[in-house]
PDB file of all heavy atoms in Angstrom:
ATOM      1  N   PRO A  18       0.791  -1.237   0.000  1.00 90.00           N
ATOM      2  CA  PRO A  18       0.000   0.000   0.000  1.00 90.00           C
ATOM      3  C   PRO A  18       0.819   1.281   0.000  1.00 90.00           C
ATOM      4  O   PRO A  18       0.506   2.227  -0.736  1.00 90.00           O
ATOM      5  CB  PRO A  18      -0.834  -0.122   1.278  1.00 90.00           C
ATOM      6  CG  PRO A  18      -0.921  -1.584   1.532  1.00 90.00           C
ATOM      7  CD  PRO A  18       0.388  -2.138   1.089  1.00 90.00           C
ATOM      8  N   LYS A  19       1.880   1.362   0.800  1.00 87.00           N
ATOM      9  CA  LYS A  19       2.654   2.596   0.899  1.00 87.00           C
ATOM     10  C   LYS A  19       3.513   2.853  -0.336  1.00 87.00           C
ATOM     11  O   LYS A  19       4.081   3.934  -0.474  1.00 87.00           O
ATOM     12  CB  LYS A  19       3.519   2.563   2.155  1.00 87.00           C
ATOM     13  CG  LYS A  19       2.703   2.607   3.444  1.00 87.00           C
ATOM     14  CD  LYS A  19       3.581   2.677   4.671  1.00 87.00           C
ATOM     15  CE  LYS A  19       2.738   2.754   5.935  1.00 87.00           C
ATOM     16  NZ  LYS A  19       3.567   2.835   7.166  1.00 87.00           N
ATOM     17  N   GLN A  20       3.590   1.862  -1.228  1.00 90.00           N
ATOM     18  CA  GLN A  20       4.306   2.043  -2.490  1.00 90.00           C
ATOM     19  C   GLN A  20       3.336   2.155  -3.666  1.00 90.00           C
ATOM     20  O   GLN A  20       3.748   2.081  -4.817  1.00 90.00           O
ATOM     21  CB  GLN A  20       5.272   0.874  -2.716  1.00 90.00           C
ATOM     22  CG  GLN A  20       6.357   0.761  -1.651  1.00 90.00           C
ATOM     23  CD  GLN A  20       7.275  -0.434  -1.875  1.00 90.00           C
ATOM     24  OE1 GLN A  20       7.433  -0.908  -2.989  1.00 90.00           O
ATOM     25  NE2 GLN A  20       7.871  -0.912  -0.794  1.00 90.00           N
ATOM     26  N   SER A  21       2.044   2.340  -3.351  1.00 94.00           N
ATOM     27  CA  SER A  21       1.010   2.341  -4.374  1.00 94.00           C
ATOM     28  C   SER A  21       0.477   3.727  -4.682  1.00 94.00           C
ATOM     29  O   SER A  21      -0.585   3.850  -5.292  1.00 94.00           O
ATOM     30  CB  SER A  21      -0.147   1.417  -3.951  1.00 94.00           C
ATOM     31  OG  SER A  21       0.284   0.080  -3.857  1.00 94.00           O
ATOM     32  N   PHE A  22       1.203   4.765  -4.286  1.00 94.00           N
ATOM     33  CA  PHE A  22       0.793   6.125  -4.650  1.00 94.00           C
ATOM     34  C   PHE A  22       2.026   7.017  -4.763  1.00 94.00           C
ATOM     35  O   PHE A  22       3.068   6.735  -4.165  1.00 94.00           O
ATOM     36  CB  PHE A  22      -0.213   6.708  -3.644  1.00 94.00           C
ATOM     37  CG  PHE A  22       0.228   6.650  -2.203  1.00 94.00           C
ATOM     38  CD1 PHE A  22       0.995   7.662  -1.647  1.00 94.00           C
ATOM     39  CD2 PHE A  22      -0.147   5.589  -1.388  1.00 94.00           C
ATOM     40  CE1 PHE A  22       1.393   7.619  -0.324  1.00 94.00           C
ATOM     41  CE2 PHE A  22       0.234   5.536  -0.057  1.00 94.00           C
ATOM     42  CZ  PHE A  22       1.011   6.552   0.475  1.00 94.00           C
ATOM     43  N   THR A  23       1.904   8.050  -5.559  1.00 92.00           N
ATOM     44  CA  THR A  23       3.021   8.959  -5.785  1.00 92.00           C
ATOM     45  C   THR A  23       3.298   9.778  -4.524  1.00 92.00           C
ATOM     46  O   THR A  23       2.419  10.020  -3.711  1.00 92.00           O
ATOM     47  CB  THR A  23       2.729   9.905  -6.951  1.00 92.00           C
ATOM     48  OG1 THR A  23       1.469  10.565  -6.727  1.00 92.00           O
ATOM     49  CG2 THR A  23       2.663   9.140  -8.265  1.00 92.00           C
ATOM     50  N   LYS A  24       4.542  10.197  -4.400  1.00 90.00           N
ATOM     51  CA  LYS A  24       4.967  10.973  -3.239  1.00 90.00           C
ATOM     52  C   LYS A  24       4.833  12.466  -3.508  1.00 90.00           C
ATOM     53  O   LYS A  24       4.788  12.908  -4.641  1.00 90.00           O
ATOM     54  CB  LYS A  24       6.413  10.622  -2.891  1.00 90.00           C
ATOM     55  CG  LYS A  24       6.652   9.128  -2.680  1.00 90.00           C
ATOM     56  CD  LYS A  24       5.743   8.560  -1.598  1.00 90.00           C
ATOM     57  CE  LYS A  24       6.019   7.091  -1.339  1.00 90.00           C
ATOM     58  NZ  LYS A  24       5.199   6.190  -2.115  1.00 90.00           N
ATOM     59  N   PHE A  25       4.783  13.236  -2.430  1.00 88.00           N
ATOM     60  CA  PHE A  25       4.650  14.683  -2.571  1.00 88.00           C
ATOM     61  C   PHE A  25       5.918  15.323  -3.140  1.00 88.00           C
ATOM     62  O   PHE A  25       5.851  16.151  -4.036  1.00 88.00           O
ATOM     63  CB  PHE A  25       4.316  15.330  -1.217  1.00 88.00           C
ATOM     64  CG  PHE A  25       2.930  15.046  -0.748  1.00 88.00           C
ATOM     65  CD1 PHE A  25       2.694  14.471   0.497  1.00 88.00           C
ATOM     66  CD2 PHE A  25       1.825  15.348  -1.533  1.00 88.00           C
ATOM     67  CE1 PHE A  25       1.413  14.212   0.936  1.00 88.00           C
ATOM     68  CE2 PHE A  25       0.536  15.087  -1.109  1.00 88.00           C
ATOM     69  CZ  PHE A  25       0.338  14.524   0.138  1.00 88.00           C
ATOM     70  N   PHE A  26       7.076  14.924  -2.632  1.00 80.00           N
ATOM     71  CA  PHE A  26       8.323  15.550  -3.075  1.00 80.00           C
ATOM     72  C   PHE A  26       8.630  15.165  -4.514  1.00 80.00           C
ATOM     73  O   PHE A  26       8.519  14.000  -4.899  1.00 80.00           O
ATOM     74  CB  PHE A  26       9.487  15.138  -2.182  1.00 80.00           C
ATOM     75  CG  PHE A  26      10.808  15.724  -2.602  1.00 80.00           C
ATOM     76  CD1 PHE A  26      11.093  17.057  -2.355  1.00 80.00           C
ATOM     77  CD2 PHE A  26      11.755  14.946  -3.267  1.00 80.00           C
ATOM     78  CE1 PHE A  26      12.311  17.612  -2.757  1.00 80.00           C
ATOM     79  CE2 PHE A  26      12.953  15.497  -3.669  1.00 80.00           C
ATOM     80  CZ  PHE A  26      13.241  16.832  -3.410  1.00 80.00           C
ATOM     81  N   GLN A  27       9.030  16.139  -5.296  1.00 63.00           N
ATOM     82  CA  GLN A  27       9.381  15.901  -6.692  1.00 63.00           C
ATOM     83  C   GLN A  27      10.885  16.034  -6.891  1.00 63.00           C
ATOM     84  O   GLN A  27      11.483  17.041  -6.508  1.00 63.00           O
ATOM     85  CB  GLN A  27       8.694  16.924  -7.611  1.00 63.00           C
ATOM     86  CG  GLN A  27       7.187  16.898  -7.583  1.00 63.00           C
ATOM     87  CD  GLN A  27       6.601  17.786  -8.651  1.00 63.00           C
ATOM     88  OE1 GLN A  27       6.285  17.346  -9.748  1.00 63.00           O
ATOM     89  NE2 GLN A  27       6.449  19.074  -8.355  1.00 63.00           N
ATOM     90  N   GLU A  28      11.484  15.019  -7.483  1.00 61.00           N
ATOM     91  CA  GLU A  28      12.889  15.133  -7.851  1.00 61.00           C
ATOM     92  C   GLU A  28      13.027  16.244  -8.892  1.00 61.00           C
ATOM     93  O   GLU A  28      12.131  16.428  -9.725  1.00 61.00           O
ATOM     94  CB  GLU A  28      13.394  13.814  -8.434  1.00 61.00           C
ATOM     95  CG  GLU A  28      13.406  12.645  -7.454  1.00 61.00           C
ATOM     96  CD  GLU A  28      14.425  12.827  -6.345  1.00 61.00           C
ATOM     97  OE1 GLU A  28      15.333  13.663  -6.507  1.00 61.00           O
ATOM     98  OE2 GLU A  28      14.314  12.133  -5.312  1.00 61.00           O
ATOM     99  N   PRO A  29      14.126  17.001  -8.857  1.00 57.00           N
ATOM    100  CA  PRO A  29      14.295  18.118  -9.802  1.00 57.00           C
ATOM    101  C   PRO A  29      14.046  17.742 -11.251  1.00 57.00           C
ATOM    102  O   PRO A  29      13.441  18.499 -12.013  1.00 57.00           O
ATOM    103  CB  PRO A  29      15.744  18.557  -9.555  1.00 57.00           C
ATOM    104  CG  PRO A  29      15.984  18.214  -8.116  1.00 57.00           C
ATOM    105  CD  PRO A  29      15.237  16.920  -7.890  1.00 57.00           C
ATOM    106  N   ARG A  30      14.495  16.551 -11.668  1.00 59.00           N
ATOM    107  CA  ARG A  30      14.345  16.155 -13.074  1.00 59.00           C
ATOM    108  C   ARG A  30      12.896  15.865 -13.449  1.00 59.00           C
ATOM    109  O   ARG A  30      12.545  15.843 -14.635  1.00 59.00           O
ATOM    110  CB  ARG A  30      15.201  14.920 -13.368  1.00 59.00           C
ATOM    111  CG  ARG A  30      14.771  13.662 -12.639  1.00 59.00           C
ATOM    112  CD  ARG A  30      15.613  12.464 -13.027  1.00 59.00           C
ATOM    113  NE  ARG A  30      15.207  11.245 -12.360  1.00 59.00           N
ATOM    114  CZ  ARG A  30      15.611  10.890 -11.136  1.00 59.00           C
ATOM    115  NH1 ARG A  30      16.449  11.674 -10.471  1.00 59.00           N
ATOM    116  NH2 ARG A  30      15.196   9.763 -10.588  1.00 59.00           N
ATOM    117  N   ASP A  31      12.046  15.638 -12.428  1.00 60.00           N
ATOM    118  CA  ASP A  31      10.647  15.302 -12.693  1.00 60.00           C
ATOM    119  C   ASP A  31       9.712  16.492 -12.515  1.00 60.00           C
ATOM    120  O   ASP A  31       8.513  16.385 -12.767  1.00 60.00           O
ATOM    121  CB  ASP A  31      10.184  14.175 -11.754  1.00 60.00           C
ATOM    122  CG  ASP A  31      10.950  12.884 -11.982  1.00 60.00           C
ATOM    123  OD1 ASP A  31      11.328  12.625 -13.143  1.00 60.00           O
ATOM    124  OD2 ASP A  31      11.174  12.146 -11.000  1.00 60.00           O
ATOM    125  N   ARG A  32      10.224  17.621 -12.086  1.00 57.00           N
ATOM    126  CA  ARG A  32       9.369  18.752 -11.769  1.00 57.00           C
ATOM    127  C   ARG A  32       8.816  19.416 -13.023  1.00 57.00           C
ATOM    128  O   ARG A  32       9.497  19.542 -14.030  1.00 57.00           O
ATOM    129  CB  ARG A  32      10.136  19.798 -10.950  1.00 57.00           C
ATOM    130  CG  ARG A  32      10.468  19.332  -9.540  1.00 57.00           C
ATOM    131  CD  ARG A  32      11.260  20.393  -8.797  1.00 57.00           C
ATOM    132  NE  ARG A  32      11.773  19.846  -7.545  1.00 57.00           N
ATOM    133  CZ  ARG A  32      12.634  20.477  -6.759  1.00 57.00           C
ATOM    134  NH1 ARG A  32      13.072  21.675  -7.090  1.00 57.00           N
ATOM    135  NH2 ARG A  32      13.050  19.906  -5.641  1.00 57.00           N
ATOM    136  N   ILE A  33       7.567  19.826 -12.916  1.00 61.00           N
ATOM    137  CA  ILE A  33       6.938  20.672 -13.924  1.00 61.00           C
ATOM    138  C   ILE A  33       6.746  22.035 -13.273  1.00 61.00           C
ATOM    139  O   ILE A  33       5.981  22.178 -12.324  1.00 61.00           O
ATOM    140  CB  ILE A  33       5.593  20.082 -14.387  1.00 61.00           C
ATOM    141  CG1 ILE A  33       5.817  18.706 -15.024  1.00 61.00           C
ATOM    142  CG2 ILE A  33       4.911  21.019 -15.376  1.00 61.00           C
ATOM    143  CD1 ILE A  33       4.529  17.996 -15.421  1.00 61.00           C
ATOM    144  N   GLY A  34       7.461  23.033 -13.749  1.00 61.00           N
ATOM    145  CA  GLY A  34       7.477  24.319 -13.078  1.00 61.00           C
ATOM    146  C   GLY A  34       8.481  24.299 -11.934  1.00 61.00           C
ATOM    147  O   GLY A  34       9.384  23.467 -11.880  1.00 61.00           O
ATOM    148  N   ARG A  35       8.290  25.185 -10.972  1.00 68.00           N
ATOM    149  CA  ARG A  35       9.257  25.321  -9.892  1.00 68.00           C
ATOM    150  C   ARG A  35       8.802  24.701  -8.583  1.00 68.00           C
ATOM    151  O   ARG A  35       9.520  24.722  -7.586  1.00 68.00           O
ATOM    152  CB  ARG A  35       9.547  26.816  -9.674  1.00 68.00           C
ATOM    153  CG  ARG A  35      10.089  27.508 -10.908  1.00 68.00           C
ATOM    154  CD  ARG A  35      10.264  28.994 -10.685  1.00 68.00           C
ATOM    155  NE  ARG A  35      11.219  29.276  -9.606  1.00 68.00           N
ATOM    156  CZ  ARG A  35      11.518  30.494  -9.180  1.00 68.00           C
ATOM    157  NH1 ARG A  35      10.923  31.546  -9.725  1.00 68.00           N
ATOM    158  NH2 ARG A  35      12.394  30.666  -8.200  1.00 68.00           N
ATOM    159  N   ALA A  36       7.603  24.139  -8.565  1.00 73.00           N
ATOM    160  CA  ALA A  36       7.055  23.603  -7.320  1.00 73.00           C
ATOM    161  C   ALA A  36       7.883  22.419  -6.821  1.00 73.00           C
ATOM    162  O   ALA A  36       8.195  21.495  -7.574  1.00 73.00           O
ATOM    163  CB  ALA A  36       5.608  23.179  -7.519  1.00 73.00           C
ATOM    164  N   MET A  37       8.229  22.462  -5.541  1.00 81.00           N
ATOM    165  CA  MET A  37       8.996  21.374  -4.945  1.00 81.00           C
ATOM    166  C   MET A  37       8.124  20.141  -4.683  1.00 81.00           C
ATOM    167  O   MET A  37       8.590  19.005  -4.756  1.00 81.00           O
ATOM    168  CB  MET A  37       9.625  21.838  -3.629  1.00 81.00           C
ATOM    169  CG  MET A  37      10.462  20.776  -2.926  1.00 81.00           C
ATOM    170  SD  MET A  37      11.218  21.375  -1.385  1.00 81.00           S
ATOM    171  CE  MET A  37      12.363  22.595  -2.046  1.00 81.00           C
ATOM    172  N   TYR A  38       6.840  20.390  -4.399  1.00 86.00           N
ATOM    173  CA  TYR A  38       5.949  19.300  -4.035  1.00 86.00           C
ATOM    174  C   TYR A  38       4.776  19.181  -5.011  1.00 86.00           C
ATOM    175  O   TYR A  38       4.294  20.184  -5.539  1.00 86.00           O
ATOM    176  CB  TYR A  38       5.387  19.516  -2.623  1.00 86.00           C
ATOM    177  CG  TYR A  38       6.460  19.643  -1.574  1.00 86.00           C
ATOM    178  CD1 TYR A  38       6.806  20.889  -1.071  1.00 86.00           C
ATOM    179  CD2 TYR A  38       7.136  18.530  -1.099  1.00 86.00           C
ATOM    180  CE1 TYR A  38       7.802  21.024  -0.111  1.00 86.00           C
ATOM    181  CE2 TYR A  38       8.131  18.651  -0.151  1.00 86.00           C
ATOM    182  CZ  TYR A  38       8.465  19.899   0.345  1.00 86.00           C
ATOM    183  OH  TYR A  38       9.456  20.021   1.285  1.00 86.00           O
ATOM    184  N   ARG A  39       4.338  17.973  -5.208  1.00 88.00           N
ATOM    185  CA  ARG A  39       3.114  17.746  -5.953  1.00 88.00           C
ATOM    186  C   ARG A  39       1.930  18.050  -5.052  1.00 88.00           C
ATOM    187  O   ARG A  39       1.911  17.654  -3.882  1.00 88.00           O
ATOM    188  CB  ARG A  39       3.013  16.292  -6.421  1.00 88.00           C
ATOM    189  CG  ARG A  39       3.946  15.915  -7.534  1.00 88.00           C
ATOM    190  CD  ARG A  39       3.686  14.501  -8.022  1.00 88.00           C
ATOM    191  NE  ARG A  39       2.306  14.316  -8.500  1.00 88.00           N
ATOM    192  CZ  ARG A  39       1.929  13.305  -9.258  1.00 88.00           C
ATOM    193  NH1 ARG A  39       2.812  12.391  -9.638  1.00 88.00           N
ATOM    194  NH2 ARG A  39       0.678  13.196  -9.649  1.00 88.00           N
ATOM    195  N   ALA A  40       0.938  18.730  -5.587  1.00 91.00           N
ATOM    196  CA  ALA A  40      -0.306  18.982  -4.851  1.00 91.00           C
ATOM    197  C   ALA A  40      -1.407  18.076  -5.383  1.00 91.00           C
ATOM    198  O   ALA A  40      -2.597  18.380  -5.261  1.00 91.00           O
ATOM    199  CB  ALA A  40      -0.706  20.441  -4.961  1.00 91.00           C
ATOM    200  N   ASP A  41      -1.006  16.981  -6.008  1.00 93.00           N
ATOM    201  CA  ASP A  41      -1.920  15.962  -6.510  1.00 93.00           C
ATOM    202  C   ASP A  41      -1.257  14.613  -6.297  1.00 93.00           C
ATOM    203  O   ASP A  41      -0.045  14.521  -6.134  1.00 93.00           O
ATOM    204  CB  ASP A  41      -2.240  16.185  -7.988  1.00 93.00           C
ATOM    205  CG  ASP A  41      -0.974  16.189  -8.840  1.00 93.00           C
ATOM    206  OD1 ASP A  41      -0.370  17.260  -9.007  1.00 93.00           O
ATOM    207  OD2 ASP A  41      -0.561  15.100  -9.309  1.00 93.00           O
ATOM    208  N   VAL A  42      -2.046  13.564  -6.299  1.00 95.00           N
ATOM    209  CA  VAL A  42      -1.528  12.229  -6.027  1.00 95.00           C
ATOM    210  C   VAL A  42      -2.190  11.229  -6.965  1.00 95.00           C
ATOM    211  O   VAL A  42      -3.379  11.336  -7.263  1.00 95.00           O
ATOM    212  CB  VAL A  42      -1.788  11.820  -4.554  1.00 95.00           C
ATOM    213  CG1 VAL A  42      -1.478  10.350  -4.328  1.00 95.00           C
ATOM    214  CG2 VAL A  42      -0.962  12.670  -3.606  1.00 95.00           C
ATOM    215  N   ASP A  43      -1.408  10.273  -7.447  1.00 96.00           N
ATOM    216  CA  ASP A  43      -1.935   9.142  -8.209  1.00 96.00           C
ATOM    217  C   ASP A  43      -1.864   7.905  -7.330  1.00 96.00           C
ATOM    218  O   ASP A  43      -0.793   7.559  -6.810  1.00 96.00           O
ATOM    219  CB  ASP A  43      -1.121   8.909  -9.484  1.00 96.00           C
ATOM    220  CG  ASP A  43      -1.263  10.038 -10.484  1.00 96.00           C
ATOM    221  OD1 ASP A  43      -2.385  10.515 -10.672  1.00 96.00           O
ATOM    222  OD2 ASP A  43      -0.245  10.444 -11.069  1.00 96.00           O
ATOM    223  N   VAL A  44      -2.987   7.233  -7.159  1.00 97.00           N
ATOM    224  CA  VAL A  44      -3.033   5.966  -6.434  1.00 97.00           C
ATOM    225  C   VAL A  44      -3.172   4.857  -7.465  1.00 97.00           C
ATOM    226  O   VAL A  44      -4.046   4.908  -8.335  1.00 97.00           O
ATOM    227  CB  VAL A  44      -4.215   5.925  -5.446  1.00 97.00           C
ATOM    228  CG1 VAL A  44      -4.215   4.608  -4.672  1.00 97.00           C
ATOM    229  CG2 VAL A  44      -4.143   7.103  -4.476  1.00 97.00           C
ATOM    230  N   PHE A  45      -2.313   3.845  -7.371  1.00 97.00           N
ATOM    231  CA  PHE A  45      -2.240   2.809  -8.397  1.00 97.00           C
ATOM    232  C   PHE A  45      -2.867   1.489  -7.954  1.00 97.00           C
ATOM    233  O   PHE A  45      -2.864   1.142  -6.778  1.00 97.00           O
ATOM    234  CB  PHE A  45      -0.772   2.537  -8.763  1.00 97.00           C
ATOM    235  CG  PHE A  45      -0.025   3.745  -9.228  1.00 97.00           C
ATOM    236  CD1 PHE A  45       0.921   4.347  -8.421  1.00 97.00           C
ATOM    237  CD2 PHE A  45      -0.274   4.289 -10.479  1.00 97.00           C
ATOM    238  CE1 PHE A  45       1.614   5.469  -8.840  1.00 97.00           C
ATOM    239  CE2 PHE A  45       0.411   5.409 -10.913  1.00 97.00           C
ATOM    240  CZ  PHE A  45       1.356   6.003 -10.091  1.00 97.00           C
ATOM    241  N   ALA A  46      -3.377   0.767  -8.943  1.00 96.00           N
ATOM    242  CA  ALA A  46      -3.801  -0.620  -8.764  1.00 96.00           C
ATOM    243  C   ALA A  46      -3.136  -1.394  -9.898  1.00 96.00           C
ATOM    244  O   ALA A  46      -3.665  -1.467 -11.006  1.00 96.00           O
ATOM    245  CB  ALA A  46      -5.317  -0.746  -8.829  1.00 96.00           C
ATOM    246  N   ASN A  47      -1.963  -1.936  -9.627  1.00 95.00           N
ATOM    247  CA  ASN A  47      -1.139  -2.557 -10.663  1.00 95.00           C
ATOM    248  C   ASN A  47      -0.809  -3.997 -10.325  1.00 95.00           C
ATOM    249  O   ASN A  47      -0.683  -4.352  -9.153  1.00 95.00           O
ATOM    250  CB  ASN A  47       0.182  -1.798 -10.831  1.00 95.00           C
ATOM    251  CG  ASN A  47       0.088  -0.659 -11.813  1.00 95.00           C
ATOM    252  OD1 ASN A  47      -0.690   0.252 -11.608  1.00 95.00           O
ATOM    253  ND2 ASN A  47       0.876  -0.716 -12.874  1.00 95.00           N
ATOM    254  N   ALA A  48      -0.616  -4.778 -11.383  1.00 94.00           N
ATOM    255  CA  ALA A  48      -0.114  -6.134 -11.186  1.00 94.00           C
ATOM    256  C   ALA A  48       1.407  -6.141 -11.167  1.00 94.00           C
ATOM    257  O   ALA A  48       2.029  -7.170 -10.901  1.00 94.00           O
ATOM    258  CB  ALA A  48      -0.616  -7.058 -12.296  1.00 94.00           C
ATOM    259  N   GLY A  49       2.015  -4.967 -11.447  1.00 92.00           N
ATOM    260  CA  GLY A  49       3.470  -4.844 -11.442  1.00 92.00           C
ATOM    261  C   GLY A  49       3.886  -3.505 -10.882  1.00 92.00           C
ATOM    262  O   GLY A  49       3.232  -2.954  -9.998  1.00 92.00           O
ATOM    263  N   ASP A  50       4.971  -2.957 -11.435  1.00 93.00           N
ATOM    264  CA  ASP A  50       5.499  -1.668 -11.000  1.00 93.00           C
ATOM    265  C   ASP A  50       4.895  -0.569 -11.861  1.00 93.00           C
ATOM    266  O   ASP A  50       4.925  -0.667 -13.088  1.00 93.00           O
ATOM    267  CB  ASP A  50       7.030  -1.683 -11.150  1.00 93.00           C
ATOM    268  CG  ASP A  50       7.681  -0.450 -10.550  1.00 93.00           C
ATOM    269  OD1 ASP A  50       7.214   0.665 -10.816  1.00 93.00           O
ATOM    270  OD2 ASP A  50       8.677  -0.607  -9.833  1.00 93.00           O
ATOM    271  N   PRO A  51       4.365   0.514 -11.247  1.00 93.00           N
ATOM    272  CA  PRO A  51       3.753   1.592 -12.034  1.00 93.00           C
ATOM    273  C   PRO A  51       4.704   2.266 -13.012  1.00 93.00           C
ATOM    274  O   PRO A  51       4.247   2.937 -13.938  1.00 93.00           O
ATOM    275  CB  PRO A  51       3.280   2.586 -10.964  1.00 93.00           C
ATOM    276  CG  PRO A  51       3.076   1.762  -9.752  1.00 93.00           C
ATOM    277  CD  PRO A  51       4.160   0.725  -9.801  1.00 93.00           C
ATOM    278  N   ALA A  52       6.018   2.102 -12.833  1.00 93.00           N
ATOM    279  CA  ALA A  52       6.986   2.667 -13.771  1.00 93.00           C
ATOM    280  C   ALA A  52       7.382   1.666 -14.856  1.00 93.00           C
ATOM    281  O   ALA A  52       8.067   2.030 -15.819  1.00 93.00           O
ATOM    282  CB  ALA A  52       8.246   3.137 -13.034  1.00 93.00           C
ATOM    283  N   GLU A  53       6.936   0.424 -14.723  1.00 95.00           N
ATOM    284  CA  GLU A  53       7.322  -0.629 -15.659  1.00 95.00           C
ATOM    285  C   GLU A  53       6.137  -1.262 -16.377  1.00 95.00           C
ATOM    286  O   GLU A  53       6.287  -1.777 -17.489  1.00 95.00           O
ATOM    287  CB  GLU A  53       8.097  -1.737 -14.921  1.00 95.00           C
ATOM    288  CG  GLU A  53       9.368  -1.290 -14.243  1.00 95.00           C
ATOM    289  CD  GLU A  53      10.444  -0.872 -15.231  1.00 95.00           C
ATOM    290  OE1 GLU A  53      10.385  -1.298 -16.403  1.00 95.00           O
ATOM    291  OE2 GLU A  53      11.349  -0.108 -14.834  1.00 95.00           O
ATOM    292  N   ASP A  54       4.985  -1.236 -15.749  1.00 95.00           N
ATOM    293  CA  ASP A  54       3.844  -1.984 -16.265  1.00 95.00           C
ATOM    294  C   ASP A  54       2.597  -1.112 -16.375  1.00 95.00           C
ATOM    295  O   ASP A  54       2.321  -0.290 -15.492  1.00 95.00           O
ATOM    296  CB  ASP A  54       3.533  -3.161 -15.338  1.00 95.00           C
ATOM    297  CG  ASP A  54       4.738  -4.052 -15.128  1.00 95.00           C
ATOM    298  OD1 ASP A  54       5.050  -4.840 -16.031  1.00 95.00           O
ATOM    299  OD2 ASP A  54       5.360  -3.935 -14.053  1.00 95.00           O
ATOM    300  N   PHE A  55       1.839  -1.338 -17.424  1.00 97.00           N
ATOM    301  CA  PHE A  55       0.550  -0.676 -17.571  1.00 97.00           C
ATOM    302  C   PHE A  55      -0.366  -1.109 -16.440  1.00 97.00           C
ATOM    303  O   PHE A  55      -0.386  -2.276 -16.053  1.00 97.00           O
ATOM    304  CB  PHE A  55      -0.070  -1.051 -18.920  1.00 97.00           C
ATOM    305  CG  PHE A  55      -0.454   0.136 -19.748  1.00 97.00           C
ATOM    306  CD1 PHE A  55       0.486   0.762 -20.560  1.00 97.00           C
ATOM    307  CD2 PHE A  55      -1.734   0.648 -19.701  1.00 97.00           C
ATOM    308  CE1 PHE A  55       0.139   1.872 -21.321  1.00 97.00           C
ATOM    309  CE2 PHE A  55      -2.094   1.751 -20.460  1.00 97.00           C
ATOM    310  CZ  PHE A  55      -1.149   2.363 -21.267  1.00 97.00           C
TER     311      PHE A  55
END
């Protein structure tokens, strides 16, 4: 569960704009890794 949603802190390479934190969250239901599998 704790690995099934995006984190608030954004790595510099992933940031859109200058915001340090995401003010939105994606919660996943995956059979694999959200970065590897649909």
